[in-house]
Amino acid sequence: MSPSTRRLGILTGGGDCPGLNAVIRAVAKTAILQYGIEVVGIEDGFQGLIEHRVRPLGLKDVSGILTRGGTILGSNNKCNPARYCTGRKPDGTPIWEDVTEKCLTTIARERLDGLIVIGGDGTMACAAPIAAAGINVIGVPKTIDNDLVGTEITFGFLTAVATATEALDRLHSTADSHHRVMVCEVMGRNAGWIALTAGVASGSDVILLPEIPFDLRRIADDIERRMRGPGFAIVVVAEGARPANGNQVVGRYDPTSPDPIRFGGIGNLVATEISDLTGIETRTTVLGHTQRGGAPIAADRILATNFGFHAMALLASGKRNRMVVRENNLFSDIDLFETVGKQRLVPVDHPLIAAARAIGTSFGDGAGSIVPKAIPTAVV
Ligand code: F6P
């Protein structure tokens, strides 16, 4: 063990997801029980680091949280210390400042020898300047979107898929009763992992991903064919999907956020077009944040525990500025800086897409069955 690590800070950044508490618990228990390291919880992500809002995390604090959704520490997806909104100019435009120094002051005052940051690509990007300033930062890959580079899976994703699959199953029976088309919008900004995986798991008829621009006329044709058979159809659409001749649909824009755009509304657009083109009664369901809430499923509890344990072992071993990853079902680590500014999208020749096409699933692009590429990329 590295004798230099006596006290560590832990924070959860970005959008929450199931399994965050399981990681916090695994880190704190491993730190205290195996290495005798003190743990300090930082509240509301980097906001707490800027404002020096921290609290000690003992064994009692992390007991009973394995199954709890959300994060006991709080999170924040509007706060990047290197580009922090400190107010508005008279014309309403935001004032941006680099407040990384405030984070370093909190770290010094708390005598932290290292930081464990649990988050997605945004959180790793926020942590990079702190690591560059000499603080040892260990990342744990979190996001329901499953789009972090270097790891075949992030925790939270499988629970989101389970939630979306259950919702799609429920839409099946009501679609059947009313002979309708049901369009379900799921999360996934630039990567369609949730739509693809929940779509296949639920036997959806049409799956629309950000990675495969779609053609509404082709979708209408596929749905009309399906109506002549079972008499109903299920369409799952990722929030970041777009027509080949159009743009992603922006649902909300917050100029004071360093990450200002949120997609939303493509489900309604697709449903309206299907109904106009086919004359078939169509309804939309937007799953939204239900996919991020609630208890983690067993697989995520296990993954989160493994990630937390490995992150703590990395820190204790003295390795610097790494992100723990899983590759080919084995845990290892990569350079934290390598993850910044990158996203792991769904390859259009992914084996699961090939399998779905082979069984007649439409991706709205008119392409038929393809030969899958051998990609060592797990989705479960
Ligand atoms: O990145 C995770 C995610 O849930 C995306 O799928 C989604 O677009 C976004 O966060 C929603 O963010 P917010 O909680 O700010 O609405």
Side-chain angles (χ1 to χ4, degrees):
M1 184 186 113
S2 162
S4 56
T5 308
R6 304 306 324 152
R7 206 167 138 84
L8 75 90
I10 180 168
L11 66 80
T12 52
D16 70 343
C17 83
L20 283 165
N21 287 325
V23 178
I24 296 169
R25 170 181 175 269
V27 167
K29 287 198 170 192
T30 309
I32 297 164
L33 297 174
Q34 302 306 319
Y35 300 107
I37 293 174
E38 279 181 78
V39 184
V40 172
I42 297 153
E43 294 175 350
D44 300 330
F46 290 95
Q47 194 70 40
L49 205 53
I50 294 167
E51 295 170 355
H52 196 172
R53 283 191 284 112
V54 305
R55 60 176 194 257
L57 277 189
L59 290 175
K60 265 196 179 161
D61 302 300
V62 297
S63 172
I65 65 170
L66 172 66
T67 60
R68 266 170 65 181
T71 159
I72 58 164
L73 293 175
S75 196
N76 188 321
N77 62 4
K78 278 187 67 171
C79 172
N80 178 352
R83 187 172 155 78
Y84 186 71
C85 179
T86 53
R88 298 252 198 171
K89 294 178 190 158
D91 67 359
T93 54
I95 302 165
W96 301 104
E97 276 180 53
D98 182 349
V99 296
T100 304
E101 204 52 49
K102 291 195 178 187
C103 298
L104 300 176
T105 303
T106 299
I107 291 167
R109 279 170 64 186
E110 288 297 321
R111 293 172 287 105
L112 302 180
D113 307 308
L115 209 56
I116 290 189
V117 300
I118 312 171
D121 56 328
T123 300
M124 300 307 151
C126 290
I130 295 170
I135 307 299
N136 189 12
V137 180
I138 302 293
V140 179
K142 164 242 69 167
T143 164
I144 64 162
D145 291 352
N146 199 30
D147 61 354
L148 253 80
V149 293
T151 186
E152 65 192 3
I153 196 151
T154 55
F155 73 88
F157 166 65
L158 290 175
T159 303
V161 169
T163 303
T165 302
E166 195 202 332
L168 287 160
D169 288 349
R170 289 175 186 275
L171 291 176
H172 259 86
S173 61
T174 172
D176 193 2
S177 308
H178 288 266
H179 319 297
R180 283 174 172 162
V181 177
M182 291 296 195
V183 177
C184 181
E185 181 180 311
V186 298
M187 281 187 171
R189 281 202 256 196
N190 299 310
W193 292 107
I194 297 176
L196 171 63
T197 313
V200 171
S202 62
S204 293
D205 306 295
V206 180
I207 300 175
L208 303 177
L209 311 177
E211 293 87 347
I212 305 179
F214 58 80
D215 177 336
L216 281 155
R217 186 60 259 175
R218 286 181 189 281
I219 295 173
D221 292 346
D222 291 336
I223 282 175
E224 277 168 344
R225 228 181 344 267
R226 165 89 185 166
M227 295 307 283
R228 289 194 289 274
F232 68 94
I234 305 292
V235 179
V236 54
V237 52
E239 62 185 355
R242 66 174 178 88
N245 58 357
N247 297 319
Q248 290 170 305
V249 180
V250 175
R252 204 156 35 83
Y253 184 82
D254 178 357
T256 65
S257 171
D259 179 17
I261 292 175
R262 291 292 178 273
F263 296 133
I266 188 68
N268 263 331
L269 186 145
V270 167
T272 305
E273 291 288 338
I274 289 173
S275 159
D276 288 353
L277 288 167
T278 64
I280 302 163
E281 209 179 6
T282 305
R283 295 284 187 272
T284 315
T285 302
V286 180
L287 294 188
H289 292 78
T290 58
Q291 295 158 99
R292 292 224 312 247
I297 62 169
D300 266 334
R301 295 177 198 181
I302 293 164
L303 183 61
T305 301
N306 265 318
F307 273 149
F309 157 68
H310 280 276
M312 191 51 234
L314 273 176
L315 191 68
S317 74
K319 271 198 169 183
R320 296 189 67 79
N321 304 331
R322 312 292 293 172
M323 185 180 83
V324 60
V325 298
R326 201 187 80 182
E327 199 64 63
N328 298 325
N329 229 4
L330 294 173
F331 291 92
S332 61
D333 50 280
I334 60 169
D335 188 338
L336 182 88
F337 298 101
E338 254 180 48
T339 64
V340 174
K342 298 177 194 155
Q343 279 182 327
R344 193 176 68 94
L345 304 183
V346 179
V348 295
D349 49 2
H350 192 280
L352 193 55
I353 295 183
R357 287 195 197 273
I359 59 172
T361 309
S362 163
F363 285 83
D365 59 348
S369 181
I370 55 161
V371 178
K373 196 171 148 192
I375 302 169
T377 304
V379 290
V380 287

